[in-house]
Structures are given as C-alpha cells and as structure tokens.
Amino acid sequence: MPASAAPKKAAKSVAHQWEEAWGYQVATPCQEKTEAAAEEAGCQNVTWDLVTDVRKIRKAMNADPAGAEFYTEAYVIMDRIDTLAGDMSDARLLEMRDMIRAEGVELNRWITSHPSQ
C-alpha cells in the first residue's frame, strides 16, 4: 500500500499570524528605556523580530484572496516600518525602536479592525 500524504495544514489567516507576532512584541516591551538599557535588554533583536514579522505578514497579505487593494493602508504602514528600519543594523534598530514600535501599534490597530477572514 502506498503511504498516504499527510493532510495539508490550512494556512493561518493574516490576522492570526499577526496576533502571534504582535503577542511577542507586547510581552517584550522595549520602549521608554534608555539606549544603554535597551541595548542590554537586547531590544535591537526585539525590533529586528518585529520588522522581520512585518515582512512575513506582507507576504501573507500578498497571498490573501482579499487582495492588495484591501491591504493598501496596511502596506503604507509597513513601508514606513521598512524605511525606519533602514539597513537593519543593531545601531539603527536601537535608535529607531520607539518609532518602529509606534508604527507596529498602528499596524496592529489596522489589522485588528480589518480582519479579512
């Protein structure tokens, strides 16, 4: 008998993927720390994770049947996050962490108020 293929997992919705990513950000606050304290706490890594998660969410949005037009406002916020992240160096991420986080808050508001699924 041939082995049957494992059932394919259903793709997680954009909102669900974001919920998981943002949950980590909420659990790991780095805003309002001095730069030295933020560096010691590894906040550049937390910010890197946020930017990386935003890029993954963008890919999920691109594949979502809701279509790019639905996500236009979210893409604008994501573009601002990418611009703020710049070269993704530790120094840049530490310097811009509060602004990137603020854009993350804005993206969170948008996604939670516009679930496509």
Side-chain angles (χ1 to χ4, degrees):
M1 276 190 184
S4 61
K8 195 172 185 178
K9 281 187 174 179
K12 292 180 184 176
S13 71
V14 168
H16 183 80
Q17 290 178 57
W18 176 252
E19 185 179 296
E20 289 177 349
W22 190 245
Y24 169 72
Q25 292 296 316
V26 170
T28 316
C30 281
Q31 64 278 14
E32 299 178 19
K33 291 184 184 224
T34 65
E35 192 161 324
E39 187 171 12
E40 187 175 314
C43 289
Q44 66 276 15
N45 297 328
V46 173
T47 305
W48 186 89
D49 288 341
L50 175 57
V51 175
T52 302
D53 286 339
V54 164
R55 291 174 178 169
K56 289 175 187 172
I57 297 300
R58 182 188 294 267
K59 286 181 182 179
M61 287 176 174
N62 290 342
D64 191 326
E69 201 170 294
F70 176 80
Y71 289 111
T72 299
E73 293 175 50
Y75 289 144
V76 169
I77 299 166
M78 293 170 151
D79 289 345
R80 289 193 304 250
I81 290 171
D82 270 336
T83 299
L84 290 167
D87 65 0
M88 296 282 283
S89 67
D90 284 354
R92 175 75 179 196
L93 294 175
L94 271 175
E95 178 186 349
M96 304 307 272
R97 74 187 182 283
D98 290 339
M99 292 174 70
I100 292 170
R101 169 72 179 221
E103 292 295 339
V105 168
E106 189 62 29
L107 183 59
N108 184 58
R109 275 191 210 116
W110 192 92
I111 290 174
T112 56
S113 65
H114 296 87
S116 67
Q117 293 85 0

